[in-house]
Structure formats: structure tokens, C-alpha cells
Amino acid sequence: DSGVTQTPKHLITATGQRVTLRCSPRSGDLSVYWYQQSLDQGLQFLIQYYNGEERAKGNILERFSAQQFPDLHSELNLSSLELGDSALYFCASSVGWGDIQYFGAGTRLSVL
Amino acid sequence: GDSVTQMEGPVTLSEEAFLTINCTYTATGYPSLFWYVQYPGEGLQLLLKATKADDKGSNKGFEATYRKETTSFHLEKGSVQVSDSAVYFCAQDLTNTGNQFYFGTGTSLTVIP
């Protein structure tokens, strides 16, 4: 158990819908990272937050947004969903940046 | 641009064989380098890391050396076990410069008895 909790484990929704994925980092970790893992794109870094502020941005679509709350949990919002958004979404946390990341078990999103 | 390139898989080895998975990075500066492993149905776990040139990361019999001159961080293990079957990801961390965290495409390893 990495100590990083992601909910829900599975999500099935329809195209055009909006979903929210939630991540609780390990106790004491200030950084949260979001990744998308799909068969055709591999593992893609989406975004990183550190202590509530956006720290680094990767290949995150404009339809996607994230935030980190004062209690350090984070949410990834995916809107106007398309079939191609079906993927595993991982959250990871670390103490700071440049540190070891601990990954959650992921949320599997299926867009039908 | 910055990226990580790793050996394409899948790789199939017999138990006790020697393993090498190549990884090269392209980045200016001095990224931290990592190998992560993903066992079937699980999230990623850190396998080892190195933060500066000539550092050697090691864990569970796996080793990788940060080679600045060849921009490489190849993963090696002298004698693989069936339990090593997993997908291995090389990664470089440039977030300390406000840049991204880059993963390679992953190399699937299957070890047969």
C-alpha cells in the first residue's frame, strides 16, 4: 500500500459528460501529480501541484483541469468526455519536487 | 525537446538470465532519473533512482548508473526471477525546473521458468 488513495476505482460514463477523479496523497506529502495511461499514448504526465499551487504542466487538454485543496487532496476534472479519454488515470504524491513519487492504484475511466 | 527513450519490448527471458533494458534521456541540465515498475493490475512503484552523474541506483538486485556522457540510465539485473515479470518505465524528472516529468514508453518483461 503506497498510502495514496484514489477514488473511484472504476468509472463508466458517456461521451460529453463530466467526471471528477479524487486523490488523497500520503500523509506529509505536499506534491500531487496526475498521469494518464493509455495503450496508444503510454504514460503521460498531466500536471503537478505543490502545496496548493500548480507547479508543472504537461500534456493536459484544455477540457481537463485540476486543483489541490488546502487539505492537500486533489481533484482532476475531465469534461466534454470523448471516447479517446478512456484510460487509467494515476495520481502520485511526493514530499516536494524531484522526490520519489508514490502512486495510487489508479482510476479506470471508460467513456462509452 | 526533452524526452526519455527506452528499449521496446516485449522482452522474454528465462529464469536466471541477465537483463538489460536500455534507457536514454534528452534534457539539458541535470534531471533526476528513475526506474519505476508496474506489476500486473497495480500502480507504479519506484524501483530505483539516481540524482546526479555517476550515481548508481540499486534495489532488489536491479542496478542502473547515471551516465552523463552517454545520457543513459540502463537497467540491469544479473539473474531475473519469474516474479520480476512486469512493465518497467524509465523516467526523468525536470519538475524542479518547472518542466515536466517524462516517462518512457515502458518495456514489458516476461520471465519464464
Side-chain angles (χ1 to χ4, degrees):
Chain A
D1 183 3
S2 67
V4 178
T5 304
Q6 287 188 249
T7 56
K9 284 188 169 39
H10 302 278
L11 202 46
I12 302 174
T13 188
T15 54
Q17 295 297 304
R18 173 189 168 93
V19 297
T20 297
L21 313 185
R22 183 187 168 100
C23 172
S24 295
R26 290 188 327 150
S27 177
D29 284 358
L30 298 179
S31 271
V32 170
Y33 307 75
W34 285 99
Y35 297 88
Q36 179 193 59
Q37 186 177 36
S38 61
L39 282 175
D40 55 343
Q41 296 284 328
L43 195 57
Q44 299 281 321
F45 168 77
L46 296 178
I47 198 162
Q48 178 203 3
Y49 280 83
Y50 176 77
N51 204 19
E53 295 198 2
E54 184 183 302
R55 172 75 190 165
K57 205 165 187 173
N59 303 319
I60 187 165
L61 299 173
E62 284 191 16
R63 299 184 286 109
F64 296 0
S65 64
Q67 59 185 122
Q68 186 179 27
F69 293 87
D71 68 352
L72 301 176
H73 91 271
S74 179
E75 293 181 355
L76 179 67
N77 300 296
L78 314 176
S79 61
S80 303
L81 285 167
E82 302 175 359
L83 295 177
D85 298 328
S86 296
L88 255 178
Y89 290 85
F90 286 108
C91 166
S93 73
S94 66
V95 173
W97 57 87
D99 294 323
I100 295 168
Q101 294 180 37
Y102 294 86
F103 281 75
T107 293
R108 182 171 293 282
L109 173 67
S110 297
V111 182
L112 305 179
Chain B
D2 299 325
S3 67
V4 175
T5 303
Q6 68 179 96
M7 190 171 101
E8 295 239 354
V11 174
T12 302
L13 294 174
S14 297
E15 208 164 22
E16 298 183 5
F18 184 84
L19 168 71
T20 299
I21 301 178
N22 290 339
C23 171
T24 57
Y25 66 93
T26 56
T28 54
Y30 300 91
S32 293
L33 301 174
F34 302 82
W35 277 99
Y36 280 84
V37 58
Q38 186 176 27
Y39 297 103
E42 298 183 14
L44 277 76
Q45 303 173 27
L46 178 73
L47 183 59
L48 52 85
K49 67 176 282 191
T51 57
K52 61 184 189 296
D54 300 324
D55 263 3
K56 178 187 278 190
S58 60
N59 185 26
K60 299 182 183 179
F62 291 88
E63 291 184 343
T65 301
Y66 191 144
R67 301 273 186 216
K68 186 76 177 161
E69 65 277 11
T70 53
T71 62
S72 64
F73 193 54
H74 305 322
L75 182 68
E76 296 182 338
K77 185 173 186 183
S79 175
V80 293
Q81 306 300 313
V82 172
S83 57
D84 295 326
S85 298
V87 181
Y88 293 82
F89 293 90
C90 184
Q92 66 171 350
D93 188 349
L94 293 167
T95 56
N96 60 347
T97 59
N99 206 323
Q100 295 190 37
F101 193 97
Y102 293 91
F103 276 99
T105 52
T107 302
S108 174
L109 170 67
T110 300
V111 181
I112 53 177

